Every structure is written in C-alpha cells, then in structure tokens.
C-alpha cells in the first residue's frame, strides 16, 4: 500500500523548517519513504523511519533504506514553503 501526504501553505507567510509526521498503520510493515514532489524553495530534507529509528538518527531523504519494522516516519525539511506552495511525501507499507 502507498500513502501520499499532501501539504499546502494556505497562509500568507512562508512556512520554515517544515516537518511532516506519520506512522505505519497497524498490521503493516514499513517498505520505503520518499519526498515525492517538493517546492524548489525547500532546500534540504532528512527522514527518520523504522529502518533508522533513534538512536540511529536521520538520513537524507534520497537514501534507500531496508524494509522492515513499524512505527514513526518523519520528513524534516529546510528552506520554506511559500504561500500557495504545495507538495507531497510518500511512504509504502506491506500488509502483514
């Protein structure tokens, strides 16, 4: 299964240092996580997934990771999402 989380800045000021959080659903196992489409104004990204959960630490969003595990997934962006800016992140899980 693939989950797509879309974000949009509906405000009138830039969003700085945005973080997107989710969890693997019950009865599933983590497969992968990617950034999808992001605004050019987001200049960097690191992610934490069940494959590199603390204390291992975040890895670049472009890093391929081994499948397996359950739990938190987050993407931490540097840069800004300007007003009206939109993008999405994706993660895949396997149903157990």
């Amino acid at each position: 299964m693939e989950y797509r989380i879309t974000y949009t800045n509906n405000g009138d000021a830039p969003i700085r240092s945005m973080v997107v959080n989710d969890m693997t659903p019950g009865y599933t196992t983590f497969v992968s996580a990617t950034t999808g489409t992001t605004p050019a104004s987001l200049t960097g990204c690191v992610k934490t997934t069940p494959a590199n959960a603390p204390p291992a630490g975040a890895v670049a969003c472009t890093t391929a990771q081994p499948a397996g595990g359950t739990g938190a997934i987050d993407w931490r962006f540097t840069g800004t999402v300007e007003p009206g800016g939109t993008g999405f992140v994706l993660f895949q899980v396997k149903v157990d």
Side-chain angles (χ1 to χ4, degrees):
M1 295 177 60
E2 180 172 83
Y3 290 86
R4 177 179 174 154
I5 303 166
T6 301
Y7 53 86
T8 302
N9 181 354
N10 292 320
D12 57 2
I15 296 173
R16 299 183 193 296
S17 302
M18 181 178 69
V19 178
V20 177
N21 298 295
D22 210 331
M23 299 279 292
T24 55
Y27 308 103
T28 68
T29 302
F30 173 79
V31 173
S32 66
T34 60
T35 56
T37 300
T38 60
S41 57
L42 287 176
T43 56
C45 179
V46 295
K47 64 184 175 183
T48 303
T49 71
N52 66 308
V59 298
C61 286
T62 56
T63 301
Q65 298 176 283
T70 61
I73 303 169
D74 71 51
W75 298 260
R76 297 179 181 275
F77 293 94
T78 54
T80 61
V81 180
E82 298 299 323
T86 189
F88 63 91
V89 294
L90 303 161
F91 72 96
Q92 295 80 35
V93 296
K94 176 186 76 155
V95 176
D96 295 334

